[in-house]
Amino acid sequence: MQYYDELATYERDGFTVIVDTTYEDLNPRDLFDDCVTDLDQLCKDIDSGQLDWFMLRVRVMVEGLELADEYVGGCLYANPKEVLTDGLAEDLIAQALEQAKTQVYRLSRKFTELSNAVDAELV
């Protein structure tokens, strides 16, 4: 089971949006090379806690039901909350909200069918 650390919860357009992080299991060496940065120092900074290396997740919920989620890995920040102000989380939120909104009509039809079936059982 993976542990998630919640960064923020928002109400947007009638949906609950949850932004959280979890451990990134990819090694930075799999994404960067020494041409870009000093990988040894980067890994030391991550291991010492000076930098946070994580995966970001955004979930869109309605009444506790998850309608959509979006992920991005390989996030490297001194403080994970920076994703809330630099545009990264907002980009994922927009994508997840768009995905969730496409589910509303389909689910409303399904819930109507289920509601009718439950009503029929009660009669």
Side-chain angles (χ1 to χ4, degrees):
M1 183 167 172
Q2 204 154 10
Y3 171 78
Y4 289 89
D5 184 30
E6 188 173 304
L7 295 179
T9 300
Y10 306 105
E11 293 298 323
R12 300 264 178 99
D13 302 331
F15 298 95
T16 301
V17 176
I18 301 169
V19 180
D20 52 27
T21 65
T22 191
Y23 176 77
E24 174 60 82
D25 56 2
L26 283 176
N27 189 297
R29 294 180 192 284
D30 294 338
L31 297 176
F32 302 108
D33 60 31
D34 281 324
C35 305
V36 176
T37 187
D38 180 351
L39 279 175
D40 288 334
Q41 185 60 49
L42 181 76
C43 291
K44 286 177 187 174
D45 290 345
I46 292 168
D47 291 341
S48 71
Q50 290 180 332
L51 292 174
D52 221 334
W53 177 245
F54 59 92
M55 181 171 42
L56 184 66
R57 174 178 73 166
V58 169
R59 294 180 296 148
V60 176
M61 318 281 283
V62 171
E63 297 293 324
L65 300 172
E66 184 174 313
L67 298 182
D69 61 2
E70 290 290 332
Y71 294 82
V72 66
C75 298
L76 182 66
Y77 288 82
N79 181 340
K81 289 192 176 206
E82 291 175 44
V83 300
L84 300 174
T85 59
D86 73 356
L88 180 58
E90 286 300 323
D91 288 346
L92 285 184
I93 289 169
Q95 292 169 21
L97 279 170
E98 183 177 321
Q99 181 186 355
K101 288 175 183 178
T102 66
Q103 300 299 317
V104 170
Y105 178 71
R106 180 185 67 79
L107 289 172
S108 70
R109 286 186 21 215
K110 184 63 178 177
F111 282 125
T112 298
E113 291 172 17
L114 290 170
S115 179
N116 291 339
V118 168
D119 288 346
E121 287 178 9
L122 295 176
V123 174

